[in-house]
Amino acid sequence: QVQLVESGGGLVQAGGSLRLSCAASERTLSNYAMGWFRQAPGKERDVVAAISWIGASTYYADSVKGRFTISRDNAKNTLYLQMNSLKPEDTAVYYCAASQRQSPPTNVNYVDAWGQGTQVTVSS
C-alpha cells in the first residue's frame, strides 16, 4: 500500500499563504487519484480538494474555491495544495489521501490510504 508523508503546515496570519506537499512512497503515484482532506477539532474529516489520477479532473469544496489549488507531479510522486488568502476557519489538520478510483476522491469512504496529517493554524 502506498505510504504518504505530508509537509508544509504551520502557523500563518489571516490572508497569508502556505503550500502543502505530500510525498508518496511508490513510483506509480499516477495509479491513484489523490485528495486533501481536513479535520478541525470536534468536526468530521471533509474533503478540501481532489484530483483524478492523471490530473485531468479536479474538485474543490465550496469554502476553498478560488483560494486553494491542487496539483500533482507524477514524475516526482508528489501532490501539492497551494493555499492562498487563508482564513482562521481554515485551521485544521490536513491529510493527504490516495484512492484507487480514477475520479477525484470526494468522500472519506473512497480513500484507500492516508498520510499522518500536518497542522495548519491561521491566526486572526
Side-chain angles (χ1 to χ4, degrees), residues 1-29:
Q1 189 174 8
V2 63
Q3 303 294 318
L4 304 171
V5 179
E6 302 97 334
S7 61
L11 173 64
V12 64
Q13 289 188 336
S17 298
L18 283 175
R19 188 194 197 200
L20 304 184
S21 298
C22 173
S25 61
E26 292 190 6
R27 297 188 178 187
T28 55
L29 186 64

Side-chain angles (χ1 to χ4, degrees), residues 6 8 18 31 35 56-57 63 65 97 102:
E6 302 97 334
L18 283 175
N31 288 343
S57 177
S63 59
K65 283 182 181 176
Q102 293 186 358

Side-chain angles (χ1 to χ4, degrees), residues 28-61:
T28 55
L29 186 64
S30 58
N31 288 343
Y32 298 89
M34 302 293 295
W36 289 98
F37 289 69
R38 69 185 180 188
Q39 187 168 21
K43 296 189 176 181
E44 295 183 348
R45 189 174 299 187
D46 289 324
V47 65
V48 175
I51 189 167
S52 60
W53 63 308
I54 57 173
S57 177
T58 57
Y59 169 88
Y60 293 95

Side-chain angles (χ1 to χ4, degrees), residues 9-18 83 86-88 91 120-124:
L11 173 64
V12 64
Q13 289 188 336
S17 298
L18 283 175
M83 305 186 294
L86 283 160
K87 304 175 181 180
T91 295
V120 171
T121 302
V122 184
S123 63
S124 58

Side-chain angles (χ1 to χ4, degrees), residues 86-102:
L86 283 160
K87 304 175 181 180
E89 51 264 44
D90 294 318
T91 295
V93 177
Y94 283 69
Y95 296 90
C96 177
S99 172
Q100 294 182 335
R101 298 162 60 98
Q102 293 186 358

